[in-house]
Amino acid sequence: MSAPASPTIVLVHGAFADASSWSPVTARLLDQGYRVVVPPVFNRSLSADAAYIKSFVERIDGPVLLAGHSYGGAVITVAGVADNVVGLVYVSGYALEEGESLGQLQGGFPDSDLAANLVYAPYPSEGDEPGTEVSVAIDAFPDVFAAGLDPAKAAVLAVSQRQLSAFAFTEPASAAAWKTKPAWGIVSGADRTINPDVERFGYQRAGMRAVVEIDGPHLVMQTHPDEVVAAITDAIDRSA
């Protein structure tokens, strides 16, 4: 009898970032021989983003391990119900309950530094009213979102943000995949974008199999890629 195939790792980025935010982790996983894909997240609504990632996952032949960073955690919470998903890894992420929104989960805890440094702007959308998208104030971005990174790199990221629709903050999750799929979590103990207690609470409520706490900032995949890779590969070993 042949051994089960190792899952394809799908890395899901969060708001204000893109697939390149995973680059140090992606490179290490590829070097170790894993199959990895890093799709775009369009940041227009939780339901639409999750539906896209779910459809992307369902096109993959064989099992999939989903890893989501930040808002990407909310996305995999919903998309992770896909039949071929065998596990979920949350990295500085939101583990929502079914029917809960990002705003509701965050509202139970003191604000992080992000809240005071968000910028709101209209964008064209279907219907009579424009949508509202959210970004991080450029001058605050390096300290609030990209702490721990080289200042020159943080400055580039600050002006290359992928904005998030404000609707994504209020839209409730239609599912909570961690109820039926094994899950693991990484808490960024020095996170200034998400209150680390939001991460801890969500992970504890989900009964995750293991939670690793790293004394790192929000973009822990950039500052501590080896530890993040270790958590992902451990999840693969334990989901087999």
Side-chain angles (χ1 to χ4, degrees):
M1 184 175 179
S2 60
S6 179
T8 297
I9 302 167
V10 176
L11 304 175
V12 180
H13 69 81
F16 319 127
D18 58 26
S20 67
S21 64
W22 282 104
S23 292
V25 168
T26 305
R28 285 163 170 79
L29 289 170
L30 290 172
D31 285 346
Q32 293 181 30
Y34 290 100
R35 293 186 298 275
V36 185
V37 284
V38 195
V41 179
F42 302 109
N43 292 352
R44 295 296 84 175
S45 74
L46 178 57
S47 57
D49 293 336
Y52 174 75
I53 293 300
K54 182 173 181 285
S55 70
F56 184 93
V57 164
E58 290 172 336
R59 296 195 299 268
I60 296 173
D61 184 20
V64 167
L65 182 84
L66 276 174
H69 174 251
S70 193
Y71 170 65
V75 173
I76 70 170
T77 295
V78 179
V81 298
D83 288 343
N84 58 331
V85 171
V86 296
L88 310 165
V89 179
Y90 290 80
V91 181
S92 317
Y94 294 102
L96 298 178
E97 173 62 276
E98 184 175 356
E100 181 180 55
S101 69
L102 292 173
Q104 288 172 322
L105 177 55
Q106 290 189 147
F109 300 87
D111 285 341
S112 69
D113 292 340
L114 178 69
N117 290 287
L118 292 175
V119 177
Y120 298 85
Y123 72 91
S125 64
E126 294 182 3
D128 297 330
E129 296 296 325
T132 300
E133 64 183 10
V134 186
S135 61
V136 184
I138 290 175
D139 60 350
F141 188 98
D143 289 335
V144 172
F145 192 86
L149 272 60
D150 175 80
K153 183 173 185 177
V156 171
L157 294 178
V159 298
S160 330
Q161 297 178 52
R162 194 178 194 117
Q163 288 86 350
L164 177 69
S165 171
F167 181 60
F169 284 107
T170 60
E171 187 178 14
S174 61
W178 48 259
K179 291 185 175 182
T180 57
K181 306 293 175 75
W184 292 262
I186 294 176
V187 174
S188 292
D191 202 329
R192 298 180 62 189
T193 300
I194 301 175
N195 183 334
D197 284 339
V198 172
E199 301 165 24
R200 295 182 185 107
F201 172 81
Y203 299 171
Q204 182 179 21
R205 180 176 61 181
M208 295 191 180
R209 294 194 176 186
V211 174
V212 176
E213 182 135 356
I214 298 173
D215 185 19
H218 188 62
L219 289 177
V220 70
M221 320 92 71
Q222 295 269 335
T223 60
H224 295 72
D226 291 330
E227 291 93 326
V228 174
V229 166
I232 290 172
T233 56
D234 179 65
I236 287 179
D237 292 340
R238 295 176 183 273
S239 63

